[in-house]
Amino acid sequence: MFGAVAIIGLGLLGGSTGLAVQEYLPGVHTTGYDADPATRERARARGLVAQVCETAAEAVAGADLVVFCVPVGAMGAAAREVAGHLKPGVLVSDVGSSKQTVLSSLSEALPGVAIIPAHPVAGTENSGPDAGFASLFGRRWCIVTPPDDANPILLTKLVQFWEGLGAHVELMNPQHHDLVLAVTSHVPHLIAYTIVGTASDLEEVTQSEVIKYSAGGFRDFTRIAASDPTMWRDVFLSNRDAVLEILQRFTEDLTALQRSIRNGEGDRLFDHFTRTRAIRRSIIEQGQDDARPDFGRSDHNGQG
Amino acid sequence: MFGAVAIIGLGLLGGSTGLAVQEYLPGVHTTGYDADPATRERARARGLVAQVCETAAEAVAGADLVVFCVPVGAMGAAAREVAGHLKPGVLVSDVGSSKQTVLSSLSEALPGVAIIPAHPVAGTENSGPDAGFASLFGRRWCIVTPPDDANPILLTKLVQFWEGLGAHVELMNPQHHDLVLAVTSHVPHLIAYTIVGTASDLEEVTQSEVIKYSAGGFRDFTRIAASDPTMWRDVFLSNRDAVLEILQRFTEDLTALQRSIRNGEGDRLFDHFTRTRAIRRSIIEQGQDDARPDFGRSDHNGQG
């Protein structure tokens, strides 16, 4: 196992990684850095890592594993800050939501350094240094995307690292990762951002009405449309091709359902809606979600 | 308050209404009917109403309030079954998700009868006689849509009925209701149904991958795409004009964001994503959702 881990970027993902290492891998030393002084201060107060450093170079100096937890568009710049300060034999990784562009940004900034990107598929609508918690990765998937020439020992250690934090690890090539995530995460986020914007622009319906009646379905979209704007801007720009490809198919499918509504084709609608139920059942069976009515929202909500 | 309530249709909404009346309005007698014999049997076993009848006519015979809890496309036929069997002075209402077509279907089937439609904005992904529970309406909104000539005493009693079940009641005209619900519920459902279908049709990404990595955003769509297909087919067909109007605006907005991604316009994406966060905060502040990371999903999920 790695003796010391440096975490660059101490928001939701970085903070959770630091807390998780300290809780589940107590023998591993943690250092961390964030470009924002206010975030470093909160990170110290919460103890997100054992040692919050004032420069990225200082944070990575003794690390066997460096994990970049910054928006994917900031990976290259963050990596350039540590170039020349890394320990020989170090492994550089990240937690970004797109993998092809991250691999090329990190490789360009750190020539000759071992790089194996990773993506823990976990998150919440909250962001920043106060949002993280140690159990974020527990029983969630972490996709590791080794380049073809990855060092097998470092790869094994990275897999064990994420398993140590409670994640299930899956290996995938970066290109396939980007397509899978475009459909399971990126396009759903874009759609949620869109409909929430559409709703708030309507002249005939007040914002207050939209909020009041959100339990009818809309609120499930607002949760994901509240995610960190910087992170998501970067995800869409860095995974552009896959996102546009899936969006195109989505739009075709939506147009077909729209036509069925216009033409009163009830059977087509019914068949489509029946098919989508099966996928939901599988997600619940495989422990990726909660089948209780309302996700247990009622627990702290009085009657309802 | 009404002395006796008849519930026609004993699925999620009808069953919950029956359970709620028995729990929160114990002086009110409940009868019920469902066209499906298997549902009647489960309704008896669970005690969804005090008396499950073998015909709709029998169920409504002594009722002061009749609540139709069938899919909106079945309202007219269900109402015709009870025509001529209603008590003088009865109020007929419903729980359907669209209001203009329901009002006209019920009025056509029951000329001369007092009709005030209503829509409790509450539900889960589950359906059928085993899905209901008494607290479903607690602290949720119920929109009552009285026609212009509604009897004010009956209207007051209906409002008090829903308040008695724990709901907050709001009055609205049927046309405005249909537009508000198109944006807060109907179009979100259609979009969720669409993207879940798109994902399951992809050749390059397996169904198993879609399910595994659904925590990235997709699973929030699958929940609403698992709702009752018959109910939703009817909603889209009965609220067609408002749904198509909102869909058109959504598509325009999505196209604009798609263009921003294609052209690498990061600032536009960032501005849009920042704006949508404010709406989410209001929803949490107003108690319409749970701000805990993951909705408290982690409560029974081990580490994560």
Side-chain angles (χ1 to χ4, degrees), chain A residues 27-70:
Chain A
V28 178
H29 183 62
T30 50
T31 54
Y33 169 76
D34 194 286
D36 176 8
T39 298
R40 293 201 295 275
E41 194 180 323
R42 286 301 306 150
R44 275 193 199 99
R46 291 197 66 205
L48 298 182
V49 290
Q51 190 192 346
V52 177
C53 303
E54 285 302 300
T55 66
E58 195 190 333
V60 304
D64 307 298
L65 170 67
V66 175
V67 186
F68 286 98
C69 303
V70 299

Side-chain angles (χ1 to χ4, degrees), chain B residues 25-41:
Chain B
L25 303 171
V28 178
H29 183 63
T30 49
T31 53
Y33 169 76
D34 194 285
D36 176 7
T39 297
R40 293 200 296 274
E41 193 181 321

Side-chain angles (χ1 to χ4, degrees), chain A residues 54-104:
Chain A
E54 285 302 300
T55 66
E58 195 190 333
V60 304
D64 307 298
L65 170 67
V66 175
V67 186
F68 286 98
C69 303
V70 299
V72 292
M75 292 282 176
R80 279 190 293 275
E81 277 188 60
V82 306
H85 302 279
L86 294 164
K87 204 169 138 178
V90 68
L91 175 64
V92 166
S93 188
D94 76 305
V95 296
S97 298
S98 68
K99 300 276 58 121
Q100 293 177 92
T101 55
V102 166
L103 179 58
S104 62

Side-chain angles (χ1 to χ4, degrees), chain B residues 20 67 138 158 166 169 215 280:
Chain B
V67 186
L158 185 66
V169 174
R280 175 65 184 167

